[in-house]
Amino acid sequence: MKKYKIDEYLYSLNVTDYKKASRLIPKILGVAFNTFHNYRRIEIDDPQDIPYEKVIAMEKLFGLEAGKLANRDLNFKTLREIFNEPSNLGVK
């Protein structure tokens, strides 16, 4: 499974728009054509990641809400919730 929904978005386009997008997106992001295609191939368990500002740019280009380009939700407790856990009472 891919880490990001880039292909999902691109494959929803018609052939003409797909070709335009494949050429245009790397230019907009300021990355090489191959770098963009490497972004598309990142698997969910791979340690590499796309730089944050590029993810934000693609979410805007694709009309996605913030955090919706990723294929999995990252659920974390807030620091306040962690601080209030009984197991953290002895931590200074």
Side-chain angles (χ1 to χ4, degrees), residues 1-84:
M1 178 181 232
K2 301 288 189 223
K3 192 179 271 190
Y4 298 98
K5 298 176 187 173
I6 300 169
D7 282 345
E8 187 177 312
Y9 176 80
L10 292 175
Y11 294 155
S12 73
L13 301 173
N14 64 41
V15 174
T16 304
D17 289 345
Y18 174 88
K19 288 179 182 180
K20 286 180 193 174
S22 293
R23 287 189 307 267
L24 191 58
I25 292 171
K27 290 177 184 177
I28 293 169
L29 296 177
V31 299
F33 180 81
N34 286 339
T35 300
F36 174 64
H37 287 284
N38 288 338
Y39 291 168
R40 294 173 62 181
R41 289 192 289 266
I42 298 173
E43 295 290 329
I44 204 154
D45 293 327
D46 289 347
Q48 67 263 34
D49 219 333
I50 301 172
Y52 180 71
E53 62 189 34
K54 307 296 184 194
V55 171
I56 297 299
M58 282 190 280
E59 286 174 340
K60 291 184 184 233
L61 287 170
F62 299 165
L64 299 172
E65 293 178 27
K68 295 300 181 183
L69 187 64
N71 254 329
R72 67 176 175 186
D73 290 328
L74 299 175
N75 295 317
F76 288 94
K77 294 179 181 179
T78 66
L79 281 176
R80 197 58 57 205
E81 291 170 331
I82 294 169
F83 293 159
N84 292 326

